[in-house]
Structures are given as structure tokens and as C-alpha cells.
Amino acid sequence: VAMADQDRTKAEAAETADVLFEISNLLNTGLDKQTLAILVELIESGVNPEALAHVVKELKREAAVLQQAQREAEAARAFGL
């Protein structure tokens, strides 16, 4: 019986994760399942959700800046600059 309860709990957790991922996709967050799971774990561990959201937004912004710089550097190399 305990094993059946564990299996049910795991199935419910997986279903919840799938629903959260679907919501994340509907909101166009750009988060993959692994990242979303980590964020949920952090919130469940007591991290302030608003502060976490701010950090995620800032990291995405920084990543976009770095990607743009990389594209510009590749374009410059392609043109021999």
C-alpha cells in the first residue's frame, strides 16, 4: 500500500510539473522543464518568488545582450573586420 501511495504521489507531482510547464509555455516564459523545476524547488524552499522572478528576468536580459554581442562579433569576422 505504501508503494502505491508513493507511485500516486510521483504521478501527481509529474502531472503538476506538466501543467506548470504548459502554463509557462502559454505565458511565453521561455523556460524549459528543468529550469522550471529548479525554480519551483527554490520557491518551495522559501526563496521569495518576486525576487526570483527579478533574477530570472535579469539573467535573460544579460543572456540576450551576450548573444547579440556574439552575433555582432561573428558578423564582423565574416566581413573581415
Side-chain angles (χ1 to χ4, degrees):
V1 174
M3 192 64 136
D5 288 340
Q6 287 178 346
D7 290 343
R8 185 173 40 246
T9 300
K10 286 181 183 179
E12 289 170 354
E15 184 177 346
T16 299
D18 288 342
V19 169
L20 285 173
F21 184 65
E22 287 179 34
I23 293 169
S24 175
N25 285 336
L26 289 172
L27 296 173
N28 295 317
T29 64
L31 300 172
D32 59 35
K33 281 187 175 185
Q34 181 181 9
T35 302
L36 189 58
I38 291 168
L39 295 173
V40 168
E41 285 182 36
L42 287 168
I43 291 168
E44 288 176 345
S45 296
V47 173
N48 180 311
E50 289 180 16
L52 189 56
H54 177 74
V55 169
V56 169
K57 286 179 186 178
E58 186 64 21
L59 288 172
K60 282 184 160 193
R61 188 187 69 73
E62 289 291 327
V65 168
L66 290 172
Q67 288 172 348
Q68 181 62 30
Q70 184 177 17
R71 283 192 293 271
E72 290 172 2
E74 289 170 357
R77 280 195 298 275
F79 290 111
L81 300 176

